[in-house]
mmCIF file of all heavy atoms in Angstrom:
data_model
loop_
_atom_site.group_PDB
_atom_site.id
_atom_site.type_symbol
_atom_site.label_atom_id
_atom_site.label_comp_id
_atom_site.label_asym_id
_atom_site.label_seq_id
_atom_site.Cartn_x
_atom_site.Cartn_y
_atom_site.Cartn_z
ATOM 1 N N GLY A 1 50.740 95.130 70.826
ATOM 2 C CA GLY A 1 49.380 94.607 70.695
ATOM 3 C C GLY A 1 49.075 93.635 71.809
ATOM 4 O O GLY A 1 49.827 93.528 72.789
ATOM 5 N N ASP A 2 47.974 92.909 71.654
ATOM 6 C CA ASP A 2 47.558 92.031 72.752
ATOM 7 C C ASP A 2 47.165 90.617 72.324
ATOM 8 O O ASP A 2 46.907 89.777 73.186
ATOM 9 C CB ASP A 2 46.371 92.651 73.518
ATOM 10 C CG ASP A 2 45.096 92.640 72.685
ATOM 11 O OD1 ASP A 2 44.948 93.504 71.812
ATOM 12 O OD2 ASP A 2 44.249 91.753 72.887
ATOM 13 N N GLY A 3 47.080 90.346 71.024
ATOM 14 C CA GLY A 3 46.604 89.007 70.701
ATOM 15 C C GLY A 3 46.652 88.676 69.225
ATOM 16 O O GLY A 3 47.370 89.304 68.422
ATOM 17 N N LEU A 4 45.844 87.685 68.826
ATOM 18 C CA LEU A 4 45.899 87.134 67.472
ATOM 19 C C LEU A 4 45.584 88.168 66.410
ATOM 20 O O LEU A 4 46.109 88.101 65.288
ATOM 21 C CB LEU A 4 44.933 85.959 67.346
ATOM 22 C CG LEU A 4 45.353 84.678 68.093
ATOM 23 C CD1 LEU A 4 44.245 83.635 67.996
ATOM 24 C CD2 LEU A 4 46.650 84.137 67.540
ATOM 25 N N SER A 5 44.729 89.148 66.712
ATOM 26 C CA SER A 5 44.389 90.151 65.702
ATOM 27 C C SER A 5 45.592 91.011 65.313
ATOM 28 O O SER A 5 45.572 91.680 64.285
ATOM 29 C CB SER A 5 43.258 91.059 66.210
ATOM 30 O OG SER A 5 43.684 91.847 67.307
ATOM 31 N N ASP A 6 46.623 90.979 66.136
ATOM 32 C CA ASP A 6 47.825 91.775 65.858
ATOM 33 C C ASP A 6 48.927 90.979 65.179
ATOM 34 O O ASP A 6 49.970 91.544 64.834
ATOM 35 C CB ASP A 6 48.373 92.337 67.180
ATOM 36 C CG ASP A 6 47.353 93.192 67.899
ATOM 37 O OD1 ASP A 6 46.935 94.203 67.313
ATOM 38 O OD2 ASP A 6 46.968 92.844 69.033
ATOM 39 N N VAL A 7 48.728 89.693 64.984
ATOM 40 C CA VAL A 7 49.786 88.826 64.463
ATOM 41 C C VAL A 7 50.331 89.276 63.118
ATOM 42 O O VAL A 7 51.556 89.283 62.921
ATOM 43 C CB VAL A 7 49.342 87.358 64.444
ATOM 44 C CG1 VAL A 7 50.268 86.496 63.595
ATOM 45 C CG2 VAL A 7 49.271 86.807 65.867
ATOM 46 N N PRO A 8 49.495 89.679 62.135
ATOM 47 C CA PRO A 8 50.077 90.117 60.861
ATOM 48 C C PRO A 8 51.066 91.264 61.020
ATOM 49 O O PRO A 8 52.142 91.261 60.397
ATOM 50 C CB PRO A 8 48.860 90.533 60.042
ATOM 51 C CG PRO A 8 47.741 89.686 60.578
ATOM 52 C CD PRO A 8 48.004 89.611 62.050
ATOM 53 N N CYS A 9 50.733 92.253 61.859
ATOM 54 C CA CYS A 9 51.655 93.378 62.076
ATOM 55 C C CYS A 9 52.888 92.936 62.868
ATOM 56 O O CYS A 9 54.008 93.370 62.596
ATOM 57 C CB CYS A 9 50.947 94.506 62.826
ATOM 58 S SG CYS A 9 49.705 95.362 61.830
ATOM 59 N N MET A 10 52.668 92.062 63.839
ATOM 60 C CA MET A 10 53.803 91.556 64.609
ATOM 61 C C MET A 10 54.767 90.784 63.716
ATOM 62 O O MET A 10 55.978 90.893 63.842
ATOM 63 C CB MET A 10 53.294 90.668 65.746
ATOM 64 C CG MET A 10 52.557 91.431 66.831
ATOM 65 S SD MET A 10 51.752 90.309 68.024
ATOM 66 C CE MET A 10 51.297 91.465 69.322
ATOM 67 N N LYS A 11 54.203 89.995 62.795
ATOM 68 C CA LYS A 11 55.048 89.233 61.879
ATOM 69 C C LYS A 11 55.868 90.165 60.987
ATOM 70 O O LYS A 11 57.043 89.920 60.697
ATOM 71 C CB LYS A 11 54.199 88.293 61.022
ATOM 72 C CG LYS A 11 55.022 87.420 60.075
ATOM 73 C CD LYS A 11 54.150 86.424 59.363
ATOM 74 C CE LYS A 11 54.956 85.605 58.350
ATOM 75 N NZ LYS A 11 56.070 84.883 58.955
ATOM 76 N N MET A 12 55.245 91.276 60.555
ATOM 77 C CA MET A 12 55.992 92.256 59.766
ATOM 78 C C MET A 12 57.191 92.782 60.546
ATOM 79 O O MET A 12 58.293 92.917 60.008
ATOM 80 C CB MET A 12 55.080 93.435 59.396
ATOM 81 C CG MET A 12 54.131 93.164 58.270
ATOM 82 S SD MET A 12 53.256 94.669 57.804
ATOM 83 C CE MET A 12 54.584 95.605 57.038
ATOM 84 N N MET A 13 56.966 93.102 61.809
ATOM 85 C CA MET A 13 58.061 93.613 62.641
ATOM 86 C C MET A 13 59.180 92.574 62.716
ATOM 87 O O MET A 13 60.364 92.883 62.533
ATOM 88 C CB MET A 13 57.560 93.933 64.049
ATOM 89 C CG MET A 13 56.549 95.062 64.145
ATOM 90 S SD MET A 13 57.188 96.643 63.586
ATOM 91 C CE MET A 13 56.427 96.756 61.964
ATOM 92 N N ARG A 14 58.797 91.341 62.986
ATOM 93 C CA ARG A 14 59.796 90.284 63.127
ATOM 94 C C ARG A 14 60.542 90.025 61.821
ATOM 95 O O ARG A 14 61.724 89.714 61.825
ATOM 96 C CB ARG A 14 59.114 88.997 63.593
ATOM 97 C CG ARG A 14 58.387 89.111 64.936
ATOM 98 C CD ARG A 14 59.285 88.783 66.094
ATOM 99 N NE ARG A 14 59.680 87.394 66.038
ATOM 100 C CZ ARG A 14 60.690 86.861 66.706
ATOM 101 N NH1 ARG A 14 61.447 87.640 67.461
ATOM 102 N NH2 ARG A 14 60.994 85.583 66.612
ATOM 103 N N THR A 15 59.842 90.150 60.698
ATOM 104 C CA THR A 15 60.442 89.860 59.405
ATOM 105 C C THR A 15 61.399 90.966 58.937
ATOM 106 O O THR A 15 62.456 90.686 58.372
ATOM 107 C CB THR A 15 59.329 89.676 58.343
ATOM 108 O OG1 THR A 15 58.490 88.581 58.733
ATOM 109 C CG2 THR A 15 59.919 89.382 56.958
ATOM 110 N N TYR A 16 61.021 92.222 59.203
ATOM 111 C CA TYR A 16 61.759 93.343 58.640
ATOM 112 C C TYR A 16 62.639 94.064 59.664
ATOM 113 O O TYR A 16 63.172 95.136 59.364
ATOM 114 C CB TYR A 16 60.793 94.340 58.001
ATOM 115 C CG TYR A 16 60.077 93.760 56.800
ATOM 116 C CD1 TYR A 16 58.688 93.670 56.769
ATOM 117 C CD2 TYR A 16 60.794 93.291 55.696
ATOM 118 C CE1 TYR A 16 58.023 93.150 55.681
ATOM 119 C CE2 TYR A 16 60.149 92.768 54.600
ATOM 120 C CZ TYR A 16 58.760 92.693 54.590
ATOM 121 O OH TYR A 16 58.115 92.167 53.507
ATOM 122 N N GLY A 17 62.823 93.504 60.834
ATOM 123 C CA GLY A 17 63.809 94.054 61.752
ATOM 124 C C GLY A 17 63.277 94.977 62.825
ATOM 125 O O GLY A 17 64.067 95.565 63.576
ATOM 126 N N GLY A 18 61.963 95.140 62.922
ATOM 127 C CA GLY A 18 61.377 95.913 64.019
ATOM 128 C C GLY A 18 61.217 95.020 65.245
ATOM 129 O O GLY A 18 61.763 93.916 65.313
ATOM 130 N N GLN A 19 60.452 95.504 66.225
ATOM 131 C CA GLN A 19 60.234 94.748 67.441
ATOM 132 C C GLN A 19 58.731 94.606 67.696
ATOM 133 O O GLN A 19 57.952 95.552 67.431
ATOM 134 C CB GLN A 19 60.866 95.464 68.641
ATOM 135 C CG GLN A 19 62.370 95.598 68.549
ATOM 136 C CD GLN A 19 63.108 94.316 68.907
ATOM 137 O OE1 GLN A 19 62.873 93.720 69.934
ATOM 138 N NE2 GLN A 19 64.014 93.904 68.036
ATOM 139 N N ALA A 20 58.306 93.458 68.196
ATOM 140 C CA ALA A 20 56.897 93.202 68.477
ATOM 141 C C ALA A 20 56.738 92.868 69.964
ATOM 142 O O ALA A 20 57.453 91.998 70.485
ATOM 143 C CB ALA A 20 56.379 92.061 67.616
ATOM 144 N N ILE A 21 55.798 93.536 70.615
ATOM 145 C CA ILE A 21 55.537 93.337 72.031
ATOM 146 C C ILE A 21 54.072 93.017 72.224
ATOM 147 O O ILE A 21 53.196 93.683 71.642
ATOM 148 C CB ILE A 21 55.901 94.609 72.848
ATOM 149 C CG1 ILE A 21 57.399 94.901 72.750
ATOM 150 C CG2 ILE A 21 55.463 94.481 74.303
ATOM 151 C CD1 ILE A 21 57.802 96.230 73.383
ATOM 152 N N ALA A 22 53.763 92.015 73.030
ATOM 153 C CA ALA A 22 52.391 91.718 73.406
ATOM 154 C C ALA A 22 52.193 92.032 74.884
ATOM 155 O O ALA A 22 53.025 91.653 75.716
ATOM 156 C CB ALA A 22 52.052 90.246 73.133
ATOM 157 N N VAL A 23 51.127 92.742 75.202
ATOM 158 C CA VAL A 23 50.782 93.032 76.599
ATOM 159 C C VAL A 23 49.565 92.200 76.978
ATOM 160 O O VAL A 23 48.784 91.795 76.124
ATOM 161 C CB VAL A 23 50.507 94.542 76.822
ATOM 162 C CG1 VAL A 23 51.756 95.357 76.528
ATOM 163 C CG2 VAL A 23 49.354 95.027 75.976
ATOM 164 N N TYR A 24 49.421 91.965 78.277
ATOM 165 C CA TYR A 24 48.337 91.084 78.698
ATOM 166 C C TYR A 24 47.757 91.490 80.048
ATOM 167 O O TYR A 24 48.391 92.140 80.858
ATOM 168 C CB TYR A 24 48.813 89.636 78.770
ATOM 169 C CG TYR A 24 49.924 89.367 79.775
ATOM 170 C CD1 TYR A 24 49.632 89.123 81.124
ATOM 171 C CD2 TYR A 24 51.264 89.357 79.382
ATOM 172 C CE1 TYR A 24 50.633 88.884 82.050
ATOM 173 C CE2 TYR A 24 52.281 89.125 80.298
ATOM 174 C CZ TYR A 24 51.958 88.874 81.638
ATOM 175 O OH TYR A 24 52.964 88.646 82.549
ATOM 176 N N GLN A 25 46.495 91.087 80.221
ATOM 177 C CA GLN A 25 45.847 90.995 81.522
ATOM 178 C C GLN A 25 45.879 89.518 81.896
ATOM 179 O O GLN A 25 46.080 88.656 81.038
ATOM 180 C CB GLN A 25 44.422 91.532 81.445
ATOM 181 C CG GLN A 25 44.362 92.979 80.945
ATOM 182 C CD GLN A 25 42.949 93.445 80.701
ATOM 183 O OE1 GLN A 25 42.219 93.830 81.623
ATOM 184 N NE2 GLN A 25 42.548 93.444 79.433
ATOM 185 N N GLU A 26 45.645 89.216 83.142
ATOM 186 C CA GLU A 26 45.787 87.818 83.566
ATOM 187 C C GLU A 26 44.935 86.867 82.746
ATOM 188 O O GLU A 26 45.348 85.753 82.447
ATOM 189 C CB GLU A 26 45.456 87.672 85.061
ATOM 190 C CG GLU A 26 46.628 87.925 85.982
ATOM 191 C CD GLU A 26 47.879 87.118 85.616
ATOM 192 O OE1 GLU A 26 47.774 85.898 85.390
ATOM 193 O OE2 GLU A 26 48.972 87.717 85.532
ATOM 194 N N GLU A 27 43.732 87.331 82.340
ATOM 195 C CA GLU A 27 42.840 86.417 81.622
ATOM 196 C C GLU A 27 43.330 86.061 80.233
ATOM 197 O O GLU A 27 42.887 85.071 79.649
ATOM 198 C CB GLU A 27 41.417 86.998 81.527
ATOM 199 C CG GLU A 27 41.329 88.346 80.854
ATOM 200 C CD GLU A 27 41.320 89.497 81.871
ATOM 201 O OE1 GLU A 27 41.952 89.360 82.942
ATOM 202 O OE2 GLU A 27 40.677 90.507 81.570
ATOM 203 N N ASN A 28 44.247 86.857 79.659
ATOM 204 C CA ASN A 28 44.770 86.473 78.344
ATOM 205 C C ASN A 28 46.272 86.212 78.360
ATOM 206 O O ASN A 28 46.927 86.193 77.320
ATOM 207 C CB ASN A 28 44.423 87.536 77.280
ATOM 208 C CG ASN A 28 45.291 88.769 77.354
ATOM 209 O OD1 ASN A 28 45.535 89.289 78.443
ATOM 210 N ND2 ASN A 28 45.763 89.264 76.212
ATOM 211 N N ARG A 29 46.803 85.962 79.566
ATOM 212 C CA ARG A 29 48.237 85.703 79.657
ATOM 213 C C ARG A 29 48.637 84.462 78.874
ATOM 214 O O ARG A 29 49.661 84.449 78.178
ATOM 215 C CB ARG A 29 48.646 85.542 81.125
ATOM 216 C CG ARG A 29 50.121 85.235 81.298
ATOM 217 C CD ARG A 29 50.555 85.319 82.725
ATOM 218 N NE ARG A 29 51.979 85.079 82.866
ATOM 219 C CZ ARG A 29 52.712 85.425 83.920
ATOM 220 N NH1 ARG A 29 52.140 86.031 84.948
ATOM 221 N NH2 ARG A 29 54.010 85.168 83.952
ATOM 222 N N GLN A 30 47.828 83.416 78.957
ATOM 223 C CA GLN A 30 48.180 82.175 78.263
ATOM 224 C C GLN A 30 48.251 82.407 76.756
ATOM 225 O O GLN A 30 49.132 81.872 76.081
ATOM 226 C CB GLN A 30 47.154 81.083 78.566
ATOM 227 C CG GLN A 30 47.488 79.734 77.945
ATOM 228 C CD GLN A 30 46.519 78.646 78.364
ATOM 229 O OE1 GLN A 30 45.686 78.832 79.257
ATOM 230 N NE2 GLN A 30 46.621 77.498 77.725
ATOM 231 N N GLY A 31 47.360 83.244 76.230
ATOM 232 C CA GLY A 31 47.365 83.520 74.795
ATOM 233 C C GLY A 31 48.634 84.206 74.338
ATOM 234 O O GLY A 31 49.200 83.854 73.303
ATOM 235 N N VAL A 32 49.106 85.198 75.099
ATOM 236 C CA VAL A 32 50.329 85.899 74.660
ATOM 237 C C VAL A 32 51.569 85.057 74.936
ATOM 238 O O VAL A 32 52.564 85.157 74.192
ATOM 239 C CB VAL A 32 50.454 87.297 75.315
ATOM 240 C CG1 VAL A 32 49.301 88.184 74.908
ATOM 241 C CG2 VAL A 32 50.573 87.223 76.815
ATOM 242 N N GLU A 33 51.518 84.190 75.948
ATOM 243 C CA GLU A 33 52.630 83.253 76.138
ATOM 244 C C GLU A 33 52.756 82.324 74.948
ATOM 245 O O GLU A 33 53.873 81.965 74.538
ATOM 246 C CB GLU A 33 52.452 82.465 77.436
ATOM 247 C CG GLU A 33 52.687 83.283 78.698
ATOM 248 C CD GLU A 33 52.440 82.501 79.973
ATOM 249 O OE1 GLU A 33 51.801 81.415 79.904
ATOM 250 O OE2 GLU A 33 52.870 82.967 81.038
ATOM 251 N N ASP A 34 51.611 81.971 74.364
ATOM 252 C CA ASP A 34 51.622 81.133 73.163
ATOM 253 C C ASP A 34 52.265 81.892 71.990
ATOM 254 O O ASP A 34 53.020 81.320 71.197
ATOM 255 C CB ASP A 34 50.209 80.706 72.819
ATOM 256 C CG ASP A 34 50.153 79.724 71.667
ATOM 257 O OD1 ASP A 34 50.750 78.635 71.801
ATOM 258 O OD2 ASP A 34 49.535 80.037 70.628
ATOM 259 N N LEU A 35 51.955 83.201 71.879
ATOM 260 C CA LEU A 35 52.566 84.004 70.839
ATOM 261 C C LEU A 35 54.087 84.019 70.994
ATOM 262 O O LEU A 35 54.836 83.921 70.014
ATOM 263 C CB LEU A 35 52.034 85.439 70.880
ATOM 264 C CG LEU A 35 50.569 85.670 70.527
ATOM 265 C CD1 LEU A 35 50.205 87.144 70.695
ATOM 266 C CD2 LEU A 35 50.254 85.200 69.114
ATOM 267 N N LEU A 36 54.546 84.148 72.224
ATOM 268 C CA LEU A 36 55.988 84.175 72.470
ATOM 269 C C LEU A 36 56.633 82.837 72.141
ATOM 270 O O LEU A 36 57.663 82.770 71.488
ATOM 271 C CB LEU A 36 56.259 84.544 73.937
ATOM 272 C CG LEU A 36 57.735 84.669 74.342
ATOM 273 C CD1 LEU A 36 58.376 85.844 73.637
ATOM 274 C CD2 LEU A 36 57.835 84.835 75.864
ATOM 275 N N SER A 37 55.990 81.744 72.577
ATOM 276 C CA SER A 37 56.580 80.421 72.371
ATOM 277 C C SER A 37 56.648 80.063 70.883
ATOM 278 O O SER A 37 57.521 79.303 70.473
ATOM 279 C CB SER A 37 55.767 79.366 73.122
ATOM 280 O OG SER A 37 54.477 79.198 72.563
ATOM 281 N N LYS A 38 55.759 80.640 70.079
ATOM 282 C CA LYS A 38 55.748 80.356 68.648
ATOM 283 C C LYS A 38 56.549 81.373 67.845
ATOM 284 O O LYS A 38 56.534 81.362 66.604
ATOM 285 C CB LYS A 38 54.298 80.314 68.140
ATOM 286 C CG LYS A 38 53.525 79.106 68.664
ATOM 287 C CD LYS A 38 52.091 79.088 68.176
ATOM 288 C CE LYS A 38 51.359 77.830 68.679
ATOM 289 N NZ LYS A 38 49.934 77.833 68.296
ATOM 290 N N GLY A 39 57.254 82.264 68.547
ATOM 291 C CA GLY A 39 58.112 83.206 67.863
ATOM 292 C C GLY A 39 57.388 84.314 67.137
ATOM 293 O O GLY A 39 57.940 84.935 66.225
ATOM 294 N N ARG A 40 56.157 84.621 67.568
ATOM 295 C CA ARG A 40 55.393 85.684 66.885
ATOM 296 C C ARG A 40 55.652 87.060 67.495
ATOM 297 O O ARG A 40 55.342 88.071 66.886
ATOM 298 C CB ARG A 40 53.906 85.349 66.916
ATOM 299 C CG ARG A 40 53.568 84.145 66.047
ATOM 300 C CD ARG A 40 52.102 83.768 66.118
ATOM 301 N NE ARG A 40 51.682 83.074 64.913
ATOM 302 C CZ ARG A 40 50.431 82.700 64.665
ATOM 303 N NH1 ARG A 40 49.481 82.960 65.547
ATOM 304 N NH2 ARG A 40 50.133 82.091 63.546
ATOM 305 N N VAL A 41 56.161 87.096 68.717
ATOM 306 C CA VAL A 41 56.514 88.373 69.351
ATOM 307 C C VAL A 41 57.892 88.245 69.976
ATOM 308 O O VAL A 41 58.388 87.137 70.219
ATOM 309 C CB VAL A 41 55.490 88.770 70.448
ATOM 310 C CG1 VAL A 41 54.117 89.022 69.849
ATOM 311 C CG2 VAL A 41 55.406 87.738 71.552
#
C-alpha cells in the first residue's frame, strides 16, 4: 500500500505473520517513513 488508508491491513499482516510494504513517490516519502518508524510496515 501507500499510506494511512492501508494501515488496518498492514497491521493485520504484522500481527498474523504476513509482510507489509509501503511504496512512495517523493511527495509522500515522509508519510511512509513515519509508518516505518512506528512499526506499521
Side-chain angles (χ1 to χ4, degrees):
D2 70 281
L4 289 175
S5 66
D6 301 299
V7 165
C9 290
M10 291 171 169
K11 182 174 177 58
M12 283 186 70
M13 296 297 103
R14 300 270 295 163
T15 300
Y16 295 120
Q19 298 281 309
I21 296 173
V23 297
Y24 62 85
Q25 302 173 80
E26 273 309 312
E27 58 263 32
N28 77 315
R29 178 170 183 161
Q30 183 175 351
V32 298
E33 287 178 345
D34 186 61
L35 293 178
L36 182 66
S37 68
K38 291 179 178 176
R40 291 177 155 185
V41 296

